Amino acid sequence: MNIICIGSGNVATHLMQALQSAGHHILEVFSRNPESAHALAALVAAKAVTDLNLISKQADLYVIAVSDDAISEVNEALQGSKGLVVHTSGTTALTVLQGHQQRGVFYPLQTFSKGREVDFKQIPIFVESDDIKVQEQLMQLALSLTTQAYLADSERRKVLHIAAVFACNFSNHLYTLAASVLNHNDLPFEVLKPLIQETAAKIQQQSPYEAQTGPAVRRDEKTMQAHLQWLKDQPHLAEIYHILSDSIKITHK
Amino acid sequence: MNIICIGSGNVATHLMQALQSAGHHILEVFSRNPESAHALAALVAAKAVTDLNLISKQADLYVIAVSDDAISEVNEALQGSKGLVVHTSGTTALTVLQGHQQRGVFYPLQTFSKGREVDFKQIPIFVESDDIKVQEQLMQLALSLTTQAYLADSERRKVLHIAAVFACNFSNHLYTLAASVLNHNDLPFEVLKPLIQETAAKIQQQSPYEAQTGPAVRRDEKTMQAHLQWLKDQPHLAEIYHILSDSIKITHK
């Protein structure tokens, strides 16, 4: 397929690289920021575009990989193009893509960072369209990247995104809080890496419910009190400690 | 060394197996629960003991791997033994081990689950003693299991434990909450596994602060509002979503 990418962030970068590797042709990369536009365009041998109104109308597929707030505006600018228009957002409904005959959603469930390669073959991709032929086309496109392609309507995609926020964004933030606890006491974050690795590896085999360890699940009140006492000068951390410990106790009755 | 293990939980089980593999001899395993005592004793070719008062006084090393609340009581029962007495707790002070000439702490920073093998070579072990010779002995013991042996006093060990609760116990609980969100909507937890794996893998290379992704860090208020709206019938999840999103915003100003 001949593809135009709108956006140059983490999702755009990884997705365009994967699509190019799978044999697709990236015609243009749009970003308001010339530097970002040129950087990604260079990576995937595309033309950099920095004016929304100059995007070509001749592509087969337009991938809108911008922040949720900006999807509507981009959609507006793509009026008149004949190709299939998709966005990559977890939480935005398909229906935001108004005015196109062929529209869909192409949502890869993964966390993407610049400078880090990911293997698309293992990434679940969820597609949606209100046109059965487009849906089939998007499934084929997903299967050109991964072995895990699924259909999911906007409601189920939102559920997936919420679950991903808990499992990924919030977990990563807890790593950040742990790192700050260590750093403030001149201890290196390095010592936690095997633990973090094992915590994620465990649930590949057993359910996270079964895998739960720590003071809260074993009702070790003495340890929890000692931790809260130690955290009393950092009310922000103490509050999170308190709420998540309580949540573990409620969940593991 | 000739070792007696008090406790038969996850830490006791993994630590005794590792010590035996490293050439140490496990004499006895104590647990009040005969089944657990016999199960671990059989694994490491030791004698099972179910009465605290019948533990032999002749071992070189006593490893107290019980819940923090029970350490004092076990310590009481070990009075009169000549060997070195250690506990494995993150948060309990060394000084709880009263009445022994040789005492110490032997704290492996890892999450242990029954039925899951872990490679001790990569596990950081933190040791402490108020006797320099005992400290040296414990460092040697730790180095017989891992390449990562460190000294840490009780205060630093507590900091390590608190950080571990955030990075491991709380992260795993977030996986559980994510699984429940998915399961209530007939979606399988399986689809999150690559994401969880990648989230943990990322921070082996970059700091978790740099690795943060998701709606909160990119100030995507529209998505956060949509998620909170969706979670409104599950106030428990909504509260956690709210607090952790705010915490991300505060941390990433």
Side-chain angles (χ1 to χ4, degrees):
Chain A
M1 284 179 122
N2 289 321
I3 299 171
I4 289 180
C5 178
I6 296 97
S8 59
N10 293 333
V11 174
T13 302
H14 283 90
L15 190 52
M16 289 308 122
Q17 288 183 289
L19 286 167
Q20 196 199 29
S21 297
H24 302 284
H25 190 49
I26 319 299
L27 300 179
E28 298 178 1
V29 170
F30 165 83
S31 169
R32 238 178 268 285
N33 177 330
E35 222 171 290
S36 311
H38 283 280
L40 177 51
L43 265 184
V44 295
K47 183 182 155 197
V49 178
T50 56
D51 180 340
L52 257 185
N53 301 309
L54 296 183
I55 294 174
S56 159
K57 308 284 182 193
Q58 308 302 323
D60 302 321
L61 173 68
Y62 294 82
V63 177
I64 305 177
V66 299
S67 76
D68 290 16
D69 294 336
I71 295 175
S72 279
E73 187 196 345
V74 167
N75 185 66
E76 215 36 62
L78 294 181
Q79 298 301 320
S81 52
K82 295 275 179 301
L84 162 53
V85 177
V86 301
H87 73 66
T88 59
S89 158
T91 296
T92 307
L94 168 66
T95 48
V96 79
L97 301 174
Q98 291 186 339
H100 302 289
Q101 289 226 313
Q102 299 183 298
R103 64 183 182 178
V105 180
F106 196 83
Y107 175 54
L109 186 60
Q110 186 52 284
T111 171
F112 299 104
S113 299
K114 275 187 177 144
R116 186 167 164 84
E117 270 188 50
V118 286
D119 177 10
F120 254 85
K121 283 193 191 61
Q122 300 306 318
I123 296 179
I125 296 179
F126 295 87
V127 307
E128 177 183 9
S129 177
D130 43 9
D131 177 320
I132 189 112
K133 278 181 71 176
V134 171
Q135 192 172 282
E136 184 50 37
Q137 241 182 314
L138 290 176
M139 280 298 276
Q140 289 306 322
L141 185 71
L143 287 168
S144 74
L145 301 182
T146 181
T147 56
Q148 304 206 46
Y150 305 95
L151 293 177
D153 62 19
S154 292
E155 191 59 25
R156 286 163 82 80
R157 189 158 29 78
K158 191 192 286 178
V159 174
L160 288 162
H161 193 202
I162 293 172
V165 168
F166 277 89
C168 162
N169 304 151
F170 290 167
S171 290
N172 185 76
H173 182 57
L174 293 174
Y175 306 159
T176 304
L177 297 180
S180 84
V181 167
L182 292 178
N183 293 341
H184 285 142
N185 291 275
D186 298 322
L187 286 160
F189 178 63
E190 261 54 39
V191 298
L192 280 185
K193 289 183 174 179
L195 178 64
I196 288 171
Q197 195 66 62
E198 171 67 8
T199 304
K202 256 170 145 175
I203 57 86
Q204 309 291 323
Q205 287 171 15
Q206 54 187 157
S207 77
Y209 184 89
E210 293 166 327
Q212 188 65 52
T213 57
V217 71
R218 61 171 192 266
R219 301 293 194 272
D220 186 344
E221 295 294 337
K222 198 174 161 184
T223 296
M224 285 185 277
Q225 285 312 317
H227 288 176
L228 284 167
Q229 174 64 20
W230 193 88
L231 291 169
K232 68 180 191 303
D233 297 332
Q234 298 169 80
H236 174 67
L237 292 179
E239 186 191 16
I240 291 173
Y241 189 101
H242 193 80
I243 283 167
L244 290 177
S245 293
D246 274 1
S247 179
I248 291 173
K249 288 193 263 181
I250 292 165
T251 311
H252 294 261
K253 268 186 188 137
Chain B
M1 284 179 120
N2 288 321
I3 299 171
I4 288 179
C5 178
I6 296 96
S8 59
N10 293 334
V11 175
T13 301
H14 284 90
L15 190 52
M16 290 308 122
Q17 288 183 288
L19 287 167
Q20 197 200 26
S21 296
H24 302 285
H25 189 51
I26 318 300
L27 300 178
E28 298 178 1
V29 170
F30 166 81
S31 170
R32 240 178 268 286
N33 178 330
E35 223 172 289
S36 310
H38 282 280
L40 177 51
L43 265 184
V44 294
K47 184 182 152 197
V49 178
T50 57
D51 179 340
L52 257 186
N53 300 309
L54 296 183
I55 294 173
S56 160
K57 307 286 183 193
Q58 308 302 322
D60 302 323
L61 173 67
Y62 295 81
V63 178
I64 304 178
V66 298
S67 76
D68 290 17
D69 294 335
I71 295 175
S72 278
E73 187 196 347
V74 167
N75 184 66
E76 216 37 61
L78 294 181
Q79 298 300 319
S81 51
K82 295 274 178 300
L84 161 53
V85 177
V86 301
H87 72 65
T88 59
S89 160
T91 296
T92 306
L94 168 66
T95 48
V96 79
L97 300 174
Q98 293 187 337
H100 302 289
Q101 290 226 313
Q102 300 183 297
R103 63 181 183 179
V105 180
F106 196 84
Y107 175 54
L109 186 61
Q110 186 50 284
T111 172
F112 299 106
S113 300
K114 273 183 179 148
R116 188 169 161 82
E117 271 188 49
V118 286
D119 177 12
F120 255 83
K121 283 194 190 63
Q122 301 305 321
I123 297 178
I125 296 179
F126 296 88
V127 307
E128 176 183 10
S129 177
D130 42 10
D131 178 320
I132 189 114
K133 278 182 70 177
V134 171
Q135 193 174 278
E136 183 50 37
Q137 243 181 312
L138 289 176
M139 280 298 275
Q140 288 307 321
L141 185 70
L143 288 167
S144 73
L145 301 183
T146 181
T147 56
Q148 304 207 45
Y150 305 95
L151 294 176
D153 63 19
S154 293
E155 190 59 24
R156 284 162 82 81
R157 189 158 28 80
K158 192 192 285 179
V159 174
L160 288 162
H161 193 200
I162 292 172
V165 168
F166 276 89
C168 163
N169 304 150
F170 289 167
S171 290
N172 184 76
H173 182 56
L174 293 174
Y175 305 159
T176 304
L177 297 180
S180 84
V181 167
L182 292 179
N183 293 341
H184 285 141
N185 291 275
D186 298 321
L187 285 159
F189 178 64
E190 261 54 39
V191 297
L192 281 184
K193 288 183 174 179
L195 178 64
I196 288 172
Q197 194 68 61
E198 171 67 9
T199 304
K202 255 170 148 176
I203 58 87
Q204 309 291 323
Q205 288 171 14
Q206 56 188 154
S207 77
Y209 184 88
E210 293 166 327
Q212 189 66 52
T213 57
V217 72
R218 60 171 192 266
R219 301 292 193 273
D220 185 342
E221 295 294 338
K222 197 173 160 186
T223 296
M224 286 186 277
Q225 285 311 317
H227 289 176
L228 284 167
Q229 174 64 20
W230 193 88
L231 290 168
K232 69 179 191 303
D233 297 331
Q234 299 170 78
H236 174 68
L237 292 180
E239 187 191 15
I240 291 173
Y241 189 101
H242 193 81
I243 284 167
L244 290 177
S245 293
D246 274 1
S247 179
I248 292 171
K249 288 193 264 180
I250 292 165
T251 310
H252 294 261
K253 267 183 190 139

